[in-house]
Amino acid sequence: VQLQASGGGSVQAGGSLGLSCAASGLIFDIYDMGWYRQAPGKQRELVAVIRSVTSGGTTNYADSVKGRFTISRDNAENTVYLQMSSLNPNDTGTYYCATTCAKGDGSAYWGQGTLVTVSS
């Protein structure tokens, strides 16, 4: 399984960015997909989740991003997206996409992440 995140960059507060994550090596439709972020010196936190096709594709968000971020998926392209708006400096961090598809030992797959920097 490979998760290739892209789309990060630098933006001023109040701006917008869109992230993409191309997934391969898994049956994309049947797994939930999500975005995590990790700010410098902080633990990785879950930002948004989108359920599998079979689970209805419903979404959930961390309270800190509700109303500002939108997660979506293109099952034909095996890609999950995160559209971010009204960004603030607290949104700065490395963003990783994730899947509920796990390794044989139960551990998670992580891609290399993409850095988002929001300046005030």
Side-chain angles (χ1 to χ4, degrees):
V1 175
Q2 290 191 330
L3 303 170
Q4 183 74 34
S6 61
S10 297
V11 64
Q12 288 195 323
S16 300
L17 273 177
L19 306 182
S20 300
C21 174
S24 60
L26 75 168
I27 304 173
F28 187 76
D29 294 10
I30 68 173
Y31 293 104
D32 299 347
M33 299 297 297
W35 285 95
Y36 285 74
R37 69 184 178 192
Q38 187 166 20
K42 295 188 177 180
Q43 289 188 334
R44 196 171 296 189
E45 63 172 348
L46 180 62
V47 173
V49 174
I50 185 164
R51 300 292 189 281
S52 67
V53 172
T54 53
S55 295
T58 55
T59 58
N60 285 97
Y61 299 91
D63 287 343
S64 59
V65 307
K66 279 182 183 176
R68 301 188 298 119
F69 289 14
T70 301
I71 188 171
S72 61
R73 63 192 295 162
D74 184 336
N75 296 306
E77 297 293 330
N78 285 12
T79 301
V80 60
Y81 302 96
L82 186 68
Q83 183 61 42
M84 307 181 292
S85 60
S86 300
L87 287 162
N88 62 65
N90 291 327
D91 296 315
T92 293
T94 300
Y95 283 69
Y96 301 88
C97 66
T99 173
T100 49
C101 177
K103 297 179 184 179
D105 63 1
S107 62
Y109 290 102
W110 295 104
Q112 85 290 354
T114 186
L115 179 62
V116 173
T117 303
V118 184
S119 57
S120 57

